[in-house]
Amino acid sequence: MTNSRDRVLGAVRDALLRAELPHSSADRPFYAVPPEATGAEDPIEQFAQALVALAGEVHHAHSLATISDTIIGIARASGASSYLSWNEDAIECAGLVDTLTSRGLHRMAYDLPFDQHGRDERIRVLAQVGIGVTGADAALADSGAIVLASGPGRGRLASLLPPVHIAVVKRDRIFPSLPALLVARPDLVGAGSNLVAIAGPSRTADIEMTLTHGVHGPKHVHVILIP
Amino acid sequence: MSESTSRGAAAKAHAEADVAGAAFHTRIDTALGDGKLRQALSMTTGRLATGRATAFAALPYAEALRVAAQRIRAHTIAHLDRYLVEFTTNAERAGCRIHWAETAADAARMVVEIARASGVSLAVKSKSMLSEEIELNSALESAGIRVVETDLGEFVVQLAGDRPSHIIAPIVHRRREDVAALFREKLGATDEEVATIPAMTAFARKTLRDQFVGAGMGVSGVNLAVADTGSLCLVTNEGNGRLTTTLPRVHVALLGLERLVPTSADLSVVLQLLARSATGQAMPVYTNVLTGPRRRGSAADAGGGEPDGPDQLHIVIVDNGRTRLLGSELAEILYCVRCGACLNVCPVYRQIGGHAYGGVYPGPVGSVVMPGLEGLGAWSELPQASSLCGACRDVCPVRIDLPRLLLKLRAQAVRQSLGPAWLRLGMRIFAAVATRPAVYRHVGNLVGRIGAAVAPDGWLTRLPGPLAAWTQSRDFPAPAAKSFTQSWRPKRGAERTRR
Ligand code: SF4
């Protein structure tokens, strides 16, 4: 007896004998990033402009003190007293958690339990938190997107659940485009269970093509560029 | 039957929006007679088409990218068996469970079984045309599992018991007042909560957050799957795709068996074009790549697993007519990445909208896909709903020659004698006349003289018999009094003399 896998694959193989497919004979690889397209004059400026055009906000900071000043400023403005975040070493900003705690902003315990009930309870609590803080593995100059890989201490919800997302991003991680990034860092796909590129705040235009932010994901996205 | 048990039945009851049961020309008339619909259509498709054009103008190497994307898809489809094996092997290695569904019913049953096995009573769904195709919602609801659409447009569609009318903009046919009325009536929203579009959006966020937090299962579609890593790529702007695939402990992804690319570099090429084609954005807000479920820490790294994500990731690979398409002269349509660009530029779609097509997939792509998946039988008129102007081919990011495929279908319809009997008879008479020069000349002269007599001003406003349909909404130019041969003869004679 054949199983459904063999039947579907068998049907595909049979069909391929009859398929009429134009343009299918080309050799791989199909595309290389043209060298001219890889370097903007000023990728930092290009990235910042693209993100601002998407209603994101860009900040510059040079030290732990200025990073935490920026985060505290955003937290005050949005009335948040706690935050959801990646681990400090994943953000690559030693001392950040202590500094924020000393200034009255508390980090929420994060990891979801594996049992159903515990998981639901934790999610209910986390859903109330006002801001999320993460690092980023890369940023894309052409689109203003930041790229985040999940992993231990690098949860997905920090950039998803709270209405405000703050990402601390190293300036030298700005790549020209997504193809350029994936050529340079093919290891990123599959490094964790999730790789996400985030281009500005959540948006929809479903009702009468009217652009509205924050329908499901964060309504505000801040990127703090650091050396 | 509970209120929303069968979306199909509810939709039928919704007389204003659902005319799928009626004949195609009746559905077209209904759509054309709906001034508000046409206004909304022209605004939305116009904006999306302009957005696309602007985005492509700003993209360096846009044509090179389109050619590359076409080759990637063509190559993948030509070796689909190999890439399916590679993809599923790698996805399983990453911890996914693979299910193979031959039919829509199989696919829906498999999702229900997964939900039952995990004791799920509430499922959240992010937009998936494939789930419409397999009528998943009614299958889940018949099994007593509540399912909530979370894409804002789809959420409205579900509340209204309606069907989406555009691949990308599902409620292009509804105005803000319709949405406000629905939120008030079905969800008890206050006047303040529906006062503006941002207020309605905030209300939807709040309502849907509660569903997300309580859901045991998330169901999503897949834009593209990557063979060499076993990853799934899903793009959304709202973020509901991320919530659906992160919060519930079980994630079920529905994958049409053709939606693969070989590598993540190939994926990035197609992604350069997808959002630009769909909405004119350089990138969607969220490009989400999933490789297996949440990773648990091993003893070796001291409990250092991932803090969140689903415990289970199921991938249901769906055939449902796709291998039938693959083994046909229409196989090229399987390159499609469902961006919706061809709808926005189609002069027919722009006038009649999605519901008039009667199938899950409307517009030029739907006119090939619906008959391709299910056979021409019920869909023989769709390939006629095109002016063959080629606008769809010009915008398609994977350069599918849609007019060529529509012509193939028209030819099939003729071969299968699916046209009306009078048309077939007429064509046979025409063939008999046109292949006999003497008869042709004679008949031509006769027709010309009749034309001149009945339409002295050069236009026929009413044709007899079955031809009347032509003049229902337009005039027919009368045949010229003198045939081409009659005019040509003296001219050619004159030229010869000059030389
Ligand atoms: S046929 Fe081409 S343009 Fe139309 S939806 Fe598919 S990919 Fe987009």
Side-chain angles (χ1 to χ4, degrees), chain A residues 21-136:
Chain A
L21 288 165
H23 350 95
S24 61
S25 54
D27 285 337
R28 302 189 52 77
F30 302 115
Y31 187 78
V33 184
E36 305 90 319
T38 51
E41 291 259 302
D42 185 352
I44 298 175
E45 188 49 34
Q46 195 195 1
F47 167 78
Q49 278 179 11
L51 183 54
V52 167
L54 295 171
E57 287 176 52
V58 179
H59 309 261
H60 296 269
H62 302 275
S63 61
L64 177 59
T66 47
I67 295 170
S68 49
D69 281 350
T70 311
I71 296 175
I72 294 289
I74 298 166
R76 294 232 169 94
S78 58
S81 60
S82 60
Y83 66 100
L84 199 60
S85 78
W86 281 10
N87 283 352
E88 199 174 85
D89 51 347
I91 305 176
E92 297 170 82
C93 190
L96 183 65
V97 173
D98 282 348
T99 312
L100 294 178
T101 311
S102 72
R103 301 182 66 175
L105 195 62
H106 299 281
R107 180 166 192 258
M108 297 289 293
Y110 186 166
D111 288 26
L112 300 184
F114 280 97
D115 71 294
Q116 176 63 31
H117 182 71
R119 180 186 175 104
D120 288 355
E121 286 299 297
R122 183 69 55 81
I123 289 175
R124 247 176 264 281
V125 173
L126 297 182
Q128 305 305 317
V129 175
I131 58 177
V133 180
T134 69

Side-chain angles (χ1 to χ4, degrees), chain B residues 115-383:
Chain B
R116 283 216 175 110
S118 293
V120 170
S121 58
L122 169 64
V124 282
K125 216 174 103 193
S126 81
K127 185 171 158 34
S128 151
M129 293 304 290
L130 181 49
S131 80
E132 300 281 339
E133 186 187 315
I134 66 169
E135 297 180 14
L136 180 63
N137 288 10
S138 60
L140 283 171
E141 281 163 358
S142 311
I145 299 154
R146 208 156 63 80
V147 53
V148 178
E149 295 284 350
T150 62
D151 171 88
L152 179 57
E154 294 285 344
F155 179 56
V156 171
V157 163
Q158 189 184 28
L159 281 178
D162 197 357
R163 294 180 302 130
S165 67
H166 188 289
I167 301 178
I168 302 297
I171 51 169
V172 41
H173 58 294
R174 284 186 181 272
R175 291 160 306 144
R176 71 179 76 187
E177 304 89 84
D178 305 335
V179 180
L182 266 174
F183 281 6
R184 250 192 256 120
E185 194 184 305
K186 304 264 171 168
L187 302 168
T190 63
D191 287 353
E192 207 181 314
E193 283 167 329
V194 297
T196 62
I197 290 175
M200 285 191 261
T201 307
F203 176 76
R205 175 184 173 110
K206 191 169 55 121
T207 310
L208 288 168
R209 260 305 158 91
D210 295 341
Q211 310 296 324
F212 274 122
V213 169
M217 179 168 96
V219 181
S220 76
V222 176
N223 290 89
L224 289 163
V226 185
D228 76 341
T229 59
S231 310
L232 306 172
C233 177
L234 266 91
V235 302
T236 66
N237 278 324
E238 300 186 354
N240 60 319
R242 286 193 77 199
L243 287 167
T244 301
T245 59
T246 304
L247 281 181
R249 67 186 193 284
V250 180
H251 169 207
V252 181
L254 299 169
L255 173 67
L257 60 73
E258 83 284 14
R259 300 289 279 276
L260 296 177
V261 286
T263 66
S264 38
D266 296 325
L267 172 71
S268 71
V269 171
V270 181
L271 287 178
Q272 286 286 85
L273 301 169
L274 183 57
R276 286 183 171 94
S277 302
T279 55
Q281 293 164 273
M283 276 183 86
V285 178
Y286 301 106
T287 303
N288 201 19
V289 181
L290 302 158
T291 313
R294 173 183 185 181
R295 298 193 187 163
R296 290 182 186 238
S298 60
D301 54 17
E306 293 183 336
D308 53 21
D311 298 344
Q312 299 172 25
L313 201 170
H314 299 263
I315 303 171
V316 181
I317 299 179
V318 184
D319 179 344
N320 194 35
R322 284 165 175 76
T323 49
R324 169 193 184 133
L325 253 178
L326 179 62
S328 80
E329 54 186 3
L330 306 173
E332 186 184 353
I333 199 65
L334 293 172
Y335 304 175
C336 174
V337 294
R338 302 279 190 272
C339 71
C342 56
L343 278 57
N344 302 326
V345 297
C346 175
V348 177
Y349 179 91
R350 295 183 66 159
Q351 294 300 323
I352 65 175
H355 286 157
Y357 288 82
V360 173
Y361 305 101
V365 57
S367 296
V368 178
V369 167
M370 293 313 299
L373 289 176
E374 297 182 11
L376 261 173
W379 306 107
S380 67
E381 283 164 311
L382 288 188

